[in-house]
Amino acid sequence: MRKRTIENMTVRGRRVLVRVDFNVPIADGAIGDDTRIRAALPTIRTILANGGKAILMSHLGRPKGKPDPAFTLRPVADRLKELLGAPVHFADHATGPTDPASRQAIDVLNEGEVLVLENTRFHPGETKNDPDLAGELAAFAELYVNDAFGTCHRAHASTEGVAHRVKEAGMGLLLDKEIEYLSKLLDSPEPPYVAVLGGAKVSDKIGVIQNLLDQVDALLIGGAMSYTFLKALGHETGASRVEADRLDDAKALYEQAGGKIRLPVDHITASAFDNEAPRRIVSGAIPKGEMGLDIGPETIGEYARAIGEARTIVWNGPMGVFEMSNFAAGTFAVAKALAGATAHGALTVVGGGDSVAAVSQAGYENLVSHVSTGGGAMLEFLEGKILPGIAALSDR
Ligand code: ADP
Ligand code: MG
């Protein structure tokens, strides 16, 4: 089956409803980071260049199903106008994406122009995947395009329901690229294949570990989740963060992995969760009262070596509390090792909100093969789940 993307859909003179991910950080009307707006530009530009009319919709924050001026998309529309250099209108009204003002604004929209609808979550039907809302949205356009990978794991009216109700539906360029790279991690990846997993909780990542276990040659574990594994295997973890209710799961996974799971052999510890607390390098057992806040130098060396020898690497989850500069070394070293592997021709993919922030903080975001825009969506994709927003584009 030929995949349908915005590049092979006929858009000239037609209204194209695009689900984008404009869920950017905003404080007092000021956008903190416009990466997600920039990520949507290729699809928008393709529509405009081919003579289409682009109607954009997105959620922003969690406005609880009713209009809330704190979550208006107006500042996003303003920023988009600056970035795009083409006419960008904002459907100016209070009640949400399907306000009568939206209909009027669509009626007067010209080819080569953009209309940004108000926050989809101003409508209570959005997160409930309400068929009436999906139908109203679908009536806005002839074509529907989903380019919001980060929300594809949610079956909402603007990501799933609407796709079933339009005449034609397809993928935006960002979504297409995400699927292309993430599929490579599941479908015959070139060995050696290494997964690096860290972050806050084992429970978030059990599904991914299970699904990747068969394929990978090694799973390098860091971050707080490593302490749940270490404790489950009978090691002293001191005051480190451990998920007590996941010890059995961690032990079972470790045994199932048959030697593929590698855990830190040393740690940077402190007696308080504080950047200024005195640090210690601890090998093996972590003393009482001390908590592991980063992987240690020996572990960094081992993990960097494994990454350097791999041909395919996926990374999700920081190796330590990288938000504190004194506990960021392990995370930044992994970022550097990925960049090095990329330079030698390996396929490298990074995902997860915090991991992506760490990679760009370290200055490596352009030195890896792919930085995924999806946190939860990427994890579910790697768990082998069918994402409803993607499935809806083909089962119609
Ligand atoms: P991502 O957003 O990349 O998926 P997670 O949200 O799973 O990553 O985890 C990131 C968080 O994990 C960060 O806030 C980081 O401070 C925290 N973390 C990492 N290592 C530790 C640790 N040893 N102790 C406590 N928190 C940790
Ligand atoms: Mg996170």
Side-chain angles (χ1 to χ4, degrees):
M1 191 185 68
R2 192 168 84 126
K3 68 182 175 187
R4 205 196 299 267
T5 74
I6 190 61
E7 281 181 312
N8 55 37
M9 294 164 86
T10 306
V11 302
R12 183 162 305 278
R14 298 166 98 186
R15 294 165 300 172
V16 188
L17 179 65
V18 191
R19 177 49 157 106
V20 288
D21 181 2
F22 281 166
N23 185 30
V24 296
I26 288 196
D28 300 324
I31 296 170
D33 177 1
D34 64 6
T35 306
R36 285 180 169 165
I37 305 175
R38 291 174 186 276
L41 293 175
T43 292
I44 300 169
R45 289 203 169 113
T46 301
I47 295 168
L48 303 187
N50 291 310
K53 309 172 183 186
I55 303 163
L56 312 183
M57 59 178 172
S58 174
H59 77 284
L60 174 67
R62 297 175 183 270
K64 305 207 170 83
K66 56 178 195 303
D68 180 342
F71 297 103
T72 177
L73 277 169
R74 178 177 282 286
V76 174
D78 291 342
R79 185 81 190 100
L80 177 64
K81 194 174 197 163
E82 291 167 20
L83 292 170
L84 199 59
V88 175
H89 308 277
F90 182 66
D92 190 12
H93 48 62
T95 76
T98 56
D99 190 289
S102 297
R103 182 78 259 177
Q104 286 161 20
I106 290 166
D107 287 342
V108 298
L109 193 65
N110 293 309
E111 277 109 58
E113 294 185 353
V114 176
L115 174 70
V116 178
L117 300 179
E118 187 53 287
N119 194 335
T120 53
R121 288 196 190 166
F122 280 6
H123 196 296
E126 164 70 334
T127 56
K128 295 182 187 125
N129 201 4
D130 172 46
D132 293 337
L133 174 59
E136 278 184 73
L137 292 171
F140 282 167
E142 285 92 22
L143 308 177
Y144 169 73
V145 166
N146 191 339
D147 208 22
F149 177 68
T151 53
C152 279
H153 58 315
R154 306 266 179 249
H156 291 169
S158 70
T159 60
E160 204 272 346
V162 64
H164 296 285
R165 289 171 177 79
V166 286
K167 294 190 200 93
E168 221 179 304
M171 289 188 263
L173 300 176
L174 177 65
L175 178 57
D176 188 31
K177 183 161 171 259
E178 290 277 7
I179 294 174
E180 180 195 329
Y181 276 96
L182 298 180
S183 300
K184 287 184 192 169
L185 299 174
L186 297 180
D187 309 334
S188 53
E190 189 185 344
Y193 181 10
V194 168
V196 187
L197 293 174
K201 294 194 261 162
V202 180
S203 48
D204 291 342
K205 300 181 185 172
I206 288 176
V208 174
I209 297 177
Q210 256 159 354
N211 197 45
L212 291 182
L213 259 187
D214 274 349
Q215 306 223 41
V216 296
D217 298 289
L219 247 158
L220 315 178
I221 308 272
M225 68 188 272
S226 59
Y227 301 107
T228 302
F229 277 100
L230 288 168
K231 178 133 190 158
L233 299 176
H235 298 281
E236 286 303 329
T237 55
S240 306
R241 184 166 169 179
V242 165
E243 277 173 280
D245 58 341
R246 294 295 179 169
L247 292 170
D248 293 343
D249 287 338
K251 188 151 192 261
L253 265 180
Y254 188 84
E255 283 164 4
Q256 189 193 331
K260 285 184 181 176
I261 291 185
R262 289 168 59 182
L263 297 166
V265 292
D266 61 348
H267 317 273
I268 307 295
T269 73
S271 58
F273 194 82
D274 178 350
N275 196 39
E276 303 312 321
R279 287 176 289 167
R280 288 208 238 174
I281 299 175
V282 173
S283 296
I286 297 176
K288 226 175 159 181
E290 288 284 305
M291 58 186 87
L293 296 176
D294 196 6
I295 55 174
E298 202 181 323
T299 308
I300 289 179
E302 275 190 23
Y303 285 8
R305 207 170 311 122
I307 291 166
E309 288 165 3
R311 296 296 298 166
T312 307
I313 303 133
V314 56
W315 177 27
N316 170 277
M319 297 290 100
V321 187
F322 76 100
E323 298 94 330
M324 299 190 211
S325 57
N326 286 331
F327 305 102
T331 301
F332 289 174
V334 164
K336 188 175 175 193
L338 254 78
T342 317
H344 290 104
L347 174 78
T348 55
V349 178
V350 184
D354 294 293
S355 311
V356 170
V359 168
S360 44
Q361 222 173 295
Y364 295 112
E365 79 265 45
N366 296 319
L367 302 176
V368 295
S369 311
H370 180 64
V371 175
S372 178
T373 54
M378 168 168 146
L379 289 175
E380 290 200 18
F381 195 101
L382 295 180
E383 282 173 31
K385 288 189 184 156
I386 305 293
L387 308 191
I390 297 173
L393 299 176
S394 41
D395 354 311
R396 292 156 13 87

